[in-house]
Amino acid sequence: MQEYFQYFQRMAQAGNYAALARQPVPKPVFFNWTAEIFEGLHVAANPGKDALSLVGDDGGPAQHFTYGELGARANRLLNYWRAREVEAGQAVMLMVPIVAELWFTYLAGIKGGQVLIPVATMLSVKDLEYRLGCLLPTVVVADAESAAKIDQAERALGQRICVKILVGPDERLGWVNFHVIDGQPVQAP
C-alpha cells in the first residue's frame, strides 16, 4: 500500500487526475493506515516536520506537533490500553472537543484495531444512557464536562466502563488523566 499511496500522492500533486482514475485501487487482505502510511512513510521520512497545528479560540498559544510526536503519543496511548487488556475490535468512545488528544486517540485506535466512536460533547445524560445501553465501550476519552455526564449515565444504567481517560487539567474519581500515558514506551507493534 505504501507504493500505491506514494504513486497516488505524486499523481495528485501533479494534477494528473486522469491517471488516478485509471489506476486500480489495491485491496489488501490486511491494511493498517497508521502503521503502514502514517508511521511507515510520514514518521519515517519526516519525524521532525510539523504534522498538526491547533489554534484555539481563546487567543492562547497554538499547539504544534511533529509527525514523530504524534506517532509517539499514539503509541504510548496504545501501549497503555494494551496493558489494560484493551483488544482489537473493542469500542473506544471519544467525547472531547477538538484537542490534540483527539488525534492521538484516532491514531492509536486505528493502529490497535479498536472501533472508534466519536460522539458530540453536547449529548445529554439521557442521550448517553441510550448510547451506552446499546454499546458500552471498553474505553472512553472525555473532557471534564463530558466525564460528569458519562458518570451519571453509567450510574443510571448500573454499568461500568473499564478504562476512563480524562483530557485536560482536571481530576475526577474513577478516571485517569491523559498524562498517564507519558511513562509508556513510544514504540508499539
Side-chain angles (χ1 to χ4, degrees):
M1 285 302 290
Q2 287 182 345
E3 288 177 17
Y4 173 78
F5 185 82
Q6 289 170 321
Y7 171 80
F8 184 91
Q9 276 189 311
R10 285 192 306 275
M11 293 298 106
Q13 287 170 347
N16 194 347
Y17 303 111
L20 285 176
R22 292 188 302 273
Q23 179 69 30
V25 178
K27 296 177 182 154
V29 174
F30 179 80
F31 171 65
N32 188 299
W33 182 85
T34 299
E36 295 179 44
I37 304 302
F38 183 77
E39 291 179 335
L41 294 178
H42 298 299
V43 174
N46 302 298
K49 183 178 177 183
D50 275 352
L52 175 66
S53 293
L54 297 171
V55 179
D57 295 341
D58 59 3
Q63 291 180 290
H64 301 280
F65 300 92
T66 65
Y67 283 106
E69 289 168 332
L70 282 176
R73 291 186 192 211
N75 283 333
R76 284 181 172 135
L77 179 57
L78 182 55
N79 286 325
Y80 179 80
W81 289 346
R82 288 176 174 165
R84 275 129 199 94
E85 299 180 359
V86 177
E87 299 175 357
Q90 292 182 318
V92 174
M93 186 173 86
L94 299 91
M95 193 170 177
V96 295
I98 305 298
V99 293
E101 291 85 356
L102 176 70
W103 302 103
F104 309 151
T105 304
Y106 278 139
L107 290 169
I110 293 168
K111 185 173 183 179
Q114 282 73 32
V115 177
L116 297 168
I117 306 170
V119 299
T121 56
M122 64 186 240
L123 291 181
S124 69
V125 173
K126 283 291 184 197
D127 294 329
L128 287 166
E129 287 176 27
Y130 174 77
R131 288 175 186 250
L132 297 178
C134 292
L135 174 65
L136 188 71
T138 303
V139 177
V140 66
V141 177
D143 63 343
E145 184 178 336
S146 299
K149 293 187 283 187
I150 291 166
D151 284 346
Q152 289 177 35
E154 272 186 317
R155 281 192 298 275
L157 292 169
Q159 297 181 333
R160 301 277 307 146
I161 297 167
C162 297
V163 179
K164 298 192 291 187
I165 303 173
L166 188 63
V167 172
D170 298 314
E171 293 183 14
R172 185 167 188 84
L173 185 63
W175 292 73
V176 296
N177 189 281
F178 204 94
H179 293 290
V180 74
I181 72 166
D182 291 347
Q184 295 293 319
V186 298
Q187 297 296 321

